[in-house]
Amino acid sequence: MEREALIRTMQSILGPEGVISEREQLRSYECDGLMNYRVIPELVVLPETAAQVQAIVRVCYDEGIPFVARGSGTGLSGGALPVESGVLIVLSRMRKILEVDIPNQRVVVEPGVINMWVSNEVAEDGYYYAPDPASQIVSSIGGNLAENSGGVHCLKYGFTTNHVMGAEIVLPDGSMVNIGGGKAPDAPGYELLGAFVGSEGTLGIATKITLRIVRKPEAVRTLLAAFKDTEEAGGAVSGIIGAGIVPAAIEMMDALCIEAVESAVQPGFPQAGAILIVELDGPAAEVENQFEQTLKICEENDASEIRVAEDDAERALFWKGRKAAFAAMGRISNDYYVQDSVVPRTELGKVLKKISDLGEEYGMRIANVFHAGDGNLHPLVLYDNNVPGEAEKAEKLAGDIVFTCLEHGGSLTGEHGIGEDKKKYMPKMFTTDDLNVMQLLRCAFDPHQICNPGKIFPTPRLCGERPGPFRMHPVQRAGLAENF
Amino acid sequence: MDTRTKNVSLEDLQRIVGEEHAWEATPDDAVDGVGSSFVAEPGSVEETSELLRFAAEEGLAVSPRGGGTKASLGNPPREVDLVLSTVRMDEVIEHVPGDQVVRVQAGIKLEDLQERLGGSDQMLGIDPPETKSGATVGGVVAANSSGPRRHRYGTIRDLIIGITVVLSDGTVAKAGGKVVKNVAGYDLSKLFTGSLGTLGVIAECNFRLHPRPEAARTVAVELASTQAAGEAARAVLHAQLVPSAVELHWGEDERLLTVLIEGIPPGVEAQSDTAYYLLRGFGEVRTLTQEEAGSSGPSGAGDEVALKIGAPPAELTGVLDSVLGACSRRRVTPLISGHAGIGVTYVSLSGGDDEAYVQVVEELREIWTRRGGSVVVRSAPPSFKERVEAWGPMGSRLELTRRVKEKFDPRGVMNPGRFAGGI
Ligand SMILES: Cc1cc2nc3c(=O)[nH]c(=O)nc-3n(C[C@H](O)[C@H](O)[C@H](O)COP(=O)(O)OP(=O)(O)OC[C@H]3O[C@@H](n4cnc5c(N)ncnc54)[C@H](O)[C@@H]3O)c2cc1C
């Protein structure tokens, strides 16, 4: 289809305001939260209803045009990076909370709804939505679902995948399917919902999502403890977990990170080699008892200072410091490159040491802020893009960190996703057979591979389907796969 | 015994798995009444792969088996040539207590695994009633079995973090890993959860673990009406209690809602008090003895017609009324239990004939499918299964579900016909 004809067709579905085709305007959609990769899409469309999404996807399917879904565009792996000659389907106009069902502890939303709005909506009833990515005031539920986003409280309460109970999805052929039970448990058939969550927008577009909400805990206690270095802080983490305590959160920051956060948002953190923020929540009697135990464990591990949040305001201040960590890097460095690898908790000490050695070897600074309870690291490699060669060096160093984590039994990514950014590393973690079998799922959902093509897998696999009567396979045309 | 199966001889199988580990099937090896020709027990992922590749070449229909506790789940298979038993693959591959993660071969018995983990004061947070009758971990994953504690820990899909599978053409593939948090690649562990052997053989699984609670207490309220059941369950659900299980038992003599509180002793004490006061308004409250509390959960095996209803949890009263109504009109006696906080209700039927049972199931299925739920036949005699499909309608998912099956098992040789949608 000619560009002009495509624009007219989309306008007939969405009205003129729903279609963006001016190059200058298209530019604001050229990347997501990871700005290293930029592609200007052919068109941006802004549907307001599921039926419009379906109509858009049908056109794409019939014409063999690749498309990419985008929520709020905060992703950190290039998942919502547009495809050249493709359509970017932006879901930010689908922002209705469709239903609040307190007796069944469910909320039904459109995909563009912002994470935080869900908790706000049910706060008065004593509930909240548990997965809390640091981006929760901007990122969308659709994006959270696609990335299986995590947050500081996911150690105890689980990730997005444990809280999405049902979804209406538009498949890449334009058909609409409901997966997961929604309000009822154990729908018969394959666990398609579990496979769809975390599939990074490559299996279809979620147009309606049923979420589980959680009762607010009776008691919450939060402490901040300072240590000489990350190793001692790590000792306290092992002690807490080893005592059979499941904290709501355990976060660690190193000295460089504390420095950055301090200059950005002034939470008044102690100067230390490392700090831990530990939060316990649940029934009061249990929390009080285990909190005392946690304090003791921190002392036994030579904490130089321990602060207990006296009220919600002080707790909020601790968390403000933590959640501002990425943004705060701007205070101490022009640019940074963040990784998201995971290691088994018991390997943390060794891996942190190796990361620091790598930093020295490369002569670059690395700040660490991470989810210590589940071993999900966020090493921030600091560099200056104005210095020629530094960006490449930073990326290479970040790659070496990833390989170190894999050597210690870890994973490439704990929450940010593979997307465009890490697909080149996939063969380090998975065999060709592993990746081919994963792509069988892709072939079942998206046989023509028009849905967010080129992401996750380093080598796309064609599905043995004939790509329609007319022309080259869209993935080939976009230069994303060779024929094999 | 019919061993004409294609051109395969027992020796072919024995060459792969060793002489002692393949034999001609006996009636005991039948899968839901459908006899097999052979049974083979591979000892490794490699042998499993080789066996499946061989079976594929010879066109054999394969039925994977763990503890065999779920042979009557689903529809009877269209055919079975080879039962592939995982029981020899029963090792713990790795358990690092500090990571709260375990990697196991699929054939390990859940009960044995729990005992091993107990040595480190840890557990896998799943407690299906089949644990006691020898269910294997792979079988629990394949059948998506669950028990009362799913209220707190979720189902096996929430606990599994990695998997190794062998497809029907012998391809070995893994997904996930051995860290609790991981979003690299598609989550095939979840896809294989509940797939009942129709996508491939589950060979290894990795799980996240939980600390084993130090203390437990069960508080129960006697229920005078279905209304009271629904209201009591709702009160518990809405409270700030964190129970491990909220169970309904609705029999001839006893009608109880029980709340299992677990944790450290002072927490259990305080929460039990809260539960006590909360439930007082709905009937007489007491603390169950350990023995009483332990005897929960439906067996789901045997010749009775056993159902599982999935419905929104707040509709508990409606579920009970619909079951009691449908049964009394046909003079059938129901025994009801369930995970009241989750919306899962188990019903076993007795005292009637097939015609009455069929009518009950059809009526319930009509009601609960319309309200977004499901009615699954968990087990039933063959005469009943001839008349009622086990899983019920699949709605808009049917076509997609079939496409998934076609991709993973294009020849349709894995447990053909047992699964939902005729898969
Ligand atoms: C400052 C900052 C802090 C962050 N902190 C965290 C954190 O703590 N934890 C964490 O996990 N992540 C974090 N992130 C990453 C990011 O916010 C999450 O990945 C988030 O879920 C992305 O949501 P989004 O709406 O911005 O999605 P986008 O970036 O717009 O899209 C992400 C992916 O989802 C797909 N997608 C979007 N909508 C749909 C839909 N409706 N159906 C199907 N696919 C869809 C897209 O195609 C793309 O592949 C952070 C990002 C920033 C910038």
Side-chain angles (χ1 to χ4, degrees):
Chain A
M1 196 184 257
E2 291 295 313
R3 179 177 156 84
E4 289 310 315
L6 181 62
I7 293 174
R8 274 197 306 278
T9 309
M10 290 301 176
Q11 283 176 339
S12 73
I13 297 169
L14 301 164
E17 315 80 53
V19 182
I20 295 175
S21 57
E22 298 282 329
R23 200 173 158 80
E24 271 322 297
Q25 281 176 289
L26 288 175
R27 207 173 257 288
S28 40
Y29 296 94
E30 67 182 354
C31 65
D32 62 5
L34 180 69
M35 290 168 225
N36 314 31
Y37 302 92
R38 292 167 197 266
V39 171
I40 297 177
E42 183 85 27
L43 274 190
V44 169
V45 293
L46 297 148
E48 288 177 5
T49 65
Q52 288 177 342
V53 174
Q54 207 178 3
I56 295 163
V57 171
R58 277 219 184 98
V59 172
C60 291
Y61 181 78
D62 289 343
E63 300 296 327
I65 300 168
F67 61 87
V68 177
R70 176 180 164 117
S72 301
T74 67
L76 292 175
S77 55
L81 181 75
V83 176
E84 208 183 315
S85 81
V87 173
L88 187 72
I89 304 176
V90 178
L91 298 153
S92 56
R93 288 190 181 170
M94 293 181 65
R95 287 199 163 163
K96 284 199 279 296
I97 295 181
L98 299 169
E99 191 190 343
V100 175
D101 179 350
I102 297 293
N104 283 307
Q105 306 186 328
R106 297 287 186 270
V107 174
V108 184
V109 301
E110 289 186 336
V113 164
I114 302 302
N115 173 304
M116 194 70 207
W117 297 358
V118 180
S119 289
N120 290 346
E121 184 77 19
V122 297
E124 269 187 22
D125 294 294
Y127 286 84
Y128 70 109
Y129 176 60
D132 58 342
S135 58
Q136 73 188 134
I137 52 171
V138 280
S139 65
S140 73
I141 293 296
N144 290 175
L145 175 154
E147 300 289 0
N148 186 16
S149 295
V152 295
H153 290 89
C154 289
L155 173 64
K156 177 170 178 183
Y157 290 98
F159 312 99
T160 300
T161 189
N162 307 108
H163 295 267
V164 172
M165 310 313 286
E168 171 191 271
I169 59 175
V170 173
L171 292 178
D173 65 1
S175 57
M176 196 180 262
V177 175
N178 282 294
I179 54 176
K183 292 184 186 176
D186 297 2
Y190 294 135
E191 232 292 37
L192 300 172
L193 181 64
F196 189 83
V197 175
S199 62
E200 305 192 25
T202 62
L203 299 181
I205 299 183
T207 47
K208 187 158 115 181
I209 303 161
T210 304
L211 304 172
R212 178 164 80 97
I213 47 170
V214 178
R215 190 72 171 88
K216 279 187 199 165
E218 188 183 7
V220 186
R221 300 280 269 149
T222 314
L223 69 81
L224 185 151
F227 296 88
K228 185 169 97 246
D229 52 31
T230 51
E231 203 177 324
E232 278 189 356
V237 174
S238 301
I240 294 165
I241 302 288
I245 298 171
V246 183
I250 311 190
E251 297 289 305
M252 200 192 295
M253 290 165 127
D254 71 2
L256 197 51
C257 187
I258 299 168
E259 182 193 326
V261 165
E262 208 41 59
S263 73
V265 294
Q266 296 88 39
F269 286 166
Q271 282 199 344
I275 59 172
L276 279 185
I277 303 177
V278 187
E279 188 159 288
L280 303 191
D281 71 8
E286 193 170 297
V287 169
E288 283 315 320
N289 186 291
Q290 295 194 327
F291 195 71
E292 289 306 315
Q293 216 180 336
T294 304
L295 285 169
K296 205 179 296 159
I297 292 168
C298 287
E299 280 162 16
E300 283 163 9
N301 282 278
D302 297 324
S304 56
E305 186 180 340
I306 299 178
R307 293 185 199 165
V308 175
E310 293 301 334
D311 50 26
D312 283 348
E314 194 170 1
R315 177 173 13 264
L317 194 64
F318 290 179
W319 285 122
K320 182 176 168 198
R322 164 60 186 90
K323 292 192 177 180
F326 286 10
M329 288 303 138
R331 297 293 174 132
I332 56 168
S333 175
N334 266 349
D335 303 280
Y336 69 89
Y337 195 93
V338 61
Q339 279 297 355
D340 173 44
S341 326
V342 191
V343 292
R345 191 166 38 227
T346 50
E347 300 288 313
L348 266 176
K350 277 178 247 170
V351 172
L352 286 172
K353 171 81 175 66
K354 282 195 183 167
I355 291 178
S356 126
D357 289 351
L358 279 169
E360 268 172 39
E361 194 184 310
Y362 277 76
M364 299 185 96
R365 292 184 302 164
I366 303 171
N368 281 294
V369 48
F370 56 93
H371 310 297
D374 43 33
N376 185 194
L377 300 172
H378 288 314
L380 298 140
V381 179
L382 309 183
Y383 70 99
D384 185 349
N385 213 2
N386 298 321
V387 180
E390 276 235 318
E392 292 74 26
K393 205 166 117 187
E395 200 195 333
K396 183 146 185 308
L397 169 52
D400 284 349
I401 293 176
V402 171
F403 301 147
T404 304
C405 293
L406 290 182
E407 277 162 24
H408 287 262
S411 165
L412 293 172
T413 171
E415 55 186 19
H416 295 167
I418 297 294
E420 178 69 25
D421 186 44
K422 301 184 198 72
K423 65 181 183 183
K424 57 180 175 292
Y425 300 140
M426 284 291 267
K428 297 264 180 200
M429 182 164 167
F430 296 107
T431 66
T432 308
D433 278 347
D434 298 342
L435 295 173
N436 282 343
V437 170
M438 285 182 195
Q439 291 194 75
L440 291 175
L441 189 68
R442 176 70 179 274
C443 290
F445 277 75
D446 180 23
H448 299 177
Q449 309 223 358
I450 55 172
C451 185
N452 208 1
K455 309 288 167 67
I456 305 181
F457 300 102
T459 324
R461 163 184 174 140
L462 298 185
C463 300
E465 249 92 344
R466 289 210 275 146
F470 47 97
R471 75 216 104 191
M472 213 201 281
H473 192 284
V475 181
Q476 286 167 269
R477 199 175 47 205
L480 292 164
E482 62 248 58
N483 210 352
F484 52 101
Chain B
M1 176 93 282
D2 174 16
T3 49
R4 103 201 107 71
T5 295
K6 288 111 193 187
N7 290 316
V8 176
S9 71
L10 182 58
E11 290 71 40
D12 294 328
L13 301 172
Q14 289 175 331
R15 254 194 304 280
I16 299 170
V17 296
E19 210 170 312
E20 324 83 271
H21 303 304
W23 58 86
E24 287 182 3
T26 70
D28 283 347
D29 296 309
V31 182
D32 206 5
V34 178
S36 173
S37 303
F38 303 109
V39 178
E41 296 180 337
S44 65
V45 174
E46 293 72 28
E47 280 182 16
T48 306
S49 165
E50 204 179 327
L51 198 60
L52 284 173
R53 200 167 340 121
F54 173 78
E57 277 161 16
E58 300 298 332
L60 306 186
V62 180
S63 188
R65 181 174 79 192
T69 63
K70 283 289 171 69
S72 60
L73 180 63
N75 301 311
R78 280 191 290 273
E79 51 176 335
V80 180
D81 300 311
L82 172 65
V83 167
L84 188 156
S85 163
T86 59
V87 293
R88 280 178 67 216
M89 298 191 280
D90 62 352
E91 300 280 319
V92 171
I93 305 168
E94 186 181 3
H95 174 220
V96 182
D99 292 334
Q100 292 181 331
V101 163
V102 72
R103 297 174 56 212
V104 299
Q105 291 184 310
I108 189 171
K109 290 196 167 52
L110 179 57
E111 194 170 26
D112 295 345
L113 175 63
Q114 298 286 30
E115 199 182 310
R116 279 275 300 260
L117 298 172
S120 315
D121 289 327
Q122 295 183 344
M123 62 176 192
L124 178 59
I126 191 102
D127 58 346
E130 302 82 19
T131 311
K132 292 227 157 46
S133 38
T136 62
V137 167
V140 166
V141 174
N144 189 18
S145 308
S146 61
R149 286 180 181 78
R150 67 181 284 178
H151 186 88
R152 176 151 180 187
Y153 300 104
T155 50
I156 201 77
R157 60 138 10 234
D158 299 299
L159 303 169
I160 192 165
I161 57 172
I163 199 164
T164 302
V165 297
V166 188
L167 302 193
S168 65
D169 65 357
T171 306
V172 177
K174 65 178 186 316
K178 60 168 187 170
V179 283
V180 169
K181 192 173 185 186
N182 178 6
V183 297
Y186 293 149
D187 196 344
L188 297 186
S189 324
K190 293 201 176 54
L191 182 70
F192 273 74
T193 299
S195 64
L196 205 65
T198 60
L199 295 177
V201 173
I202 298 169
E204 293 172 5
C205 311
N206 309 342
F207 300 100
R208 72 174 296 183
L209 302 174
H210 285 90
R212 201 177 248 240
E214 287 170 38
R217 195 177 295 175
T218 305
V219 179
V221 58
E222 302 229 9
L223 303 166
S225 65
T226 59
Q227 187 77 22
E231 283 171 10
R234 195 180 290 202
V236 173
L237 214 56
H238 189 66
Q240 285 170 315
L241 277 179
V242 184
S244 291
V246 182
E247 293 287 290
L248 176 81
H249 307 273
W250 191 280
E252 285 284 276
D253 325 315
E254 201 172 42
R255 291 158 184 186
L256 294 179
L257 186 84
T258 67
V259 179
L260 171 64
I261 307 283
E262 292 181 316
I264 54 172
V268 169
E269 184 109 349
Q271 283 206 76
S272 303
D273 287 348
T274 311
Y276 186 92
Y277 286 110
L278 202 67
L279 293 173
R280 238 176 11 168
F282 304 99
E284 197 184 312
V285 183
R286 63 193 168 94
T287 302
L288 296 190
T289 63
Q290 235 170 2
E291 207 173 308
E292 283 176 298
S295 67
S296 63
S299 69
D303 267 352
E304 64 199 350
V305 175
L307 313 176
K308 169 175 162 180
I309 303 176
E315 305 207 25
L316 182 59
T317 300
V319 169
L320 289 173
D321 289 342
S322 70
V323 173
L324 296 172
C327 287
S328 80
R329 266 176 271 119
R330 282 137 193 134
R331 301 188 194 293
V332 168
T333 312
L335 179 66
I336 308 174
S337 64
H339 312 310
I342 298 290
V344 171
T345 306
Y346 296 105
V347 184
S348 47
L349 306 175
S350 60
D353 56 13
D354 273 359
E355 177 57 29
Y357 297 156
V358 169
Q359 286 181 18
V360 168
V361 174
E362 283 175 349
E363 179 174 322
L364 292 175
R365 196 169 262 175
E366 195 279 318
I367 296 172
W368 292 106
T369 308
R370 186 157 37 79
R371 298 199 202 167
S374 59
V375 176
V376 170
V377 179
R378 301 172 68 234
S379 70
S383 58
F384 178 87
K385 284 198 177 176
E386 273 167 25
R387 302 178 60 182
V388 178
E389 199 278 330
W391 303 95
M394 295 266 288
S396 58
R397 302 188 303 283
L398 180 59
E399 173 64 26
L400 181 60
T401 305
R402 288 203 174 128
R403 283 193 334 231
V404 171
K405 166 73 173 180
E406 262 164 41
K407 290 297 168 194
F408 281 79
D409 176 25
R411 278 179 299 265
V413 293
M414 300 301 299
N415 254 341
R418 274 188 81 186
F419 200 55
I423 286 165

